[in-house]
Amino acid sequence: MEKIFLENFGLLIAGVASGVGGWFFGRKKANVDVDSVQIDNFDKGLLYYQKLVDDLGVRLERAISALHLSEIEKQEVIKKFSEATDQIHELERKVENLTRELGKYKQLNGKS
């Protein structure tokens, strides 16, 4: 039994040494692979957020354009409202003048 153990002891040591050596040198490669995957994931995330920012920029431009058009329409409505208000005031003055003239004609005709 000892003979078998001594004959295979060298194989056992060689196997353990190659396992430790493989782990030691493979660790560096594994770390590089992990770093490579992390860089790829970072690149994908960066592209995703870049597309997101670009899309938000386009949406912002559309919103600004819509707001600008809305402001122009608002100014037009204010202008029309102001013109309508002026016209109403003018018509009120005409009604008052016509009412005074009607009162004068009634006085001339002897009606109060």
Side-chain angles (χ1 to χ4, degrees):
M1 177 98 164
E2 262 183 54
K3 186 176 180 183
I4 295 173
F5 180 71
L6 290 176
E7 288 175 2
N8 293 323
F9 183 70
L11 293 174
L12 177 67
I13 295 295
V16 169
S18 66
V20 170
W23 170 80
F24 183 75
F25 293 110
R27 181 178 57 160
K28 205 178 243 187
K29 182 181 183 301
N31 287 339
V32 168
D33 289 342
V34 168
D35 290 344
S36 175
V37 169
Q38 287 178 344
I39 290 172
D40 288 342
N41 288 341
F42 180 75
D43 286 343
K44 289 176 185 176
L46 185 63
L47 288 174
Y48 173 76
Y49 285 111
Q50 182 66 39
K51 288 178 183 178
L52 186 67
V53 167
D54 291 344
D55 183 52
L56 288 175
V58 169
R59 288 183 184 188
L60 180 61
E61 289 295 324
R62 288 180 190 160
I64 289 172
S65 295
L67 182 63
H68 183 67
L69 291 175
S70 175
E71 183 65 27
I72 291 171
E73 290 173 357
K74 183 182 101 175
Q75 293 299 328
E76 289 175 359
V77 168
I78 289 172
K79 182 179 176 184
K80 287 179 181 179
F81 179 76
S82 178
E83 290 172 355
T85 303
D86 292 343
Q87 192 174 14
I88 288 171
H89 290 308
E90 181 65 29
L91 290 172
E92 286 175 345
R93 283 190 289 271
K94 286 182 180 180
V95 167
E96 287 175 10
N97 289 338
L98 290 173
T99 304
R100 273 191 244 121
E101 285 186 32
L102 183 62
K104 288 178 187 178
Y105 285 121
K106 282 184 180 180
Q107 284 179 355
L108 288 176
N109 287 335
K111 299 178 182 176
S112 343

